[in-house]
Amino acid sequence: PRRHAPAIVPTHLFFYGVLLRDVASPQITAMLAGLGPGRPATASGMLNAVPDSRGWYPVLLAGAGEVRGMIHEAGSVDLAALDRFEGVDPADPHAGEYRREPIRVTADDGEALSAAAYLYNRDPAPDFEPILHGDFARWLHKGGHTALAG
């Protein structure tokens, strides 16, 4: 088995989907305890909505678009619980549905910084719906869709 260096604990997290406080279900919100206050930010990439029997969730893929989300100070949030929820494989970051890795984000006030984000590890499927404007919360609201609750 391959061995990986221990994950570095991030100081900032970038959320763009069901972990957003405006989108999160009560059970997901409970996992966000200890998270610092957030502020609006963007990251480069393409956002796609994934249909699931329990609700929709987004995936962030490499691309030339802009993805809207929130940047938070990691505070004392339980990263292991978030990683489990997101399907991160701690033994092999590229084996799970997502991996947590640092990306460049820009806060709406212009500050650019590094923040850990959950990036999709698989190829997009034909039933994924592109979110061209890059805002999952807006896409849910405008389309009358329900977010994955956990």
Side-chain angles (χ1 to χ4, degrees):
R2 295 187 301 185
R3 305 227 11 113
H4 294 275
I8 295 170
V9 176
T11 56
H12 292 93
L13 297 166
F14 177 72
F15 296 150
Y16 56 88
V18 298
L19 296 179
L20 292 168
R21 285 197 169 116
D22 291 348
V23 174
S25 68
Q27 63 200 86
I28 293 172
T29 300
M31 285 191 296
L32 302 176
L35 192 65
R39 53 190 170 132
T42 57
S44 293
M46 295 299 300
L47 202 59
N48 280 262
V50 178
D52 185 282
S53 61
R54 300 166 296 156
W56 292 83
Y57 65 95
V59 294
L60 176 56
L61 303 166
E66 186 174 85
V67 175
R68 301 253 347 127
M70 295 289 284
I71 188 166
H72 294 270
E73 291 183 18
S76 61
V77 70
D78 185 347
L79 284 171
L82 290 177
D83 286 353
R84 279 190 303 276
F85 173 76
E86 292 288 351
V88 172
D89 182 342
D92 183 354
H94 292 280
E97 184 175 14
Y98 288 87
R99 67 190 182 280
R100 178 172 38 92
E101 70 179 44
I103 63 170
R104 275 322 260 168
V105 298
T106 304
D108 282 4
D109 65 10
E111 181 183 7
L113 56 148
S114 178
Y118 288 100
L119 306 178
Y120 196 58
N121 268 336
R122 302 188 179 131
D123 291 329
D127 63 344
F128 285 16
E129 255 190 64
I131 302 175
L132 300 178
H133 54 67
D135 185 330
F136 183 66
R138 181 174 138 200
W139 180 85
L140 285 172
H141 178 74
K142 295 274 186 200
H145 301 291
T146 302
L148 180 80

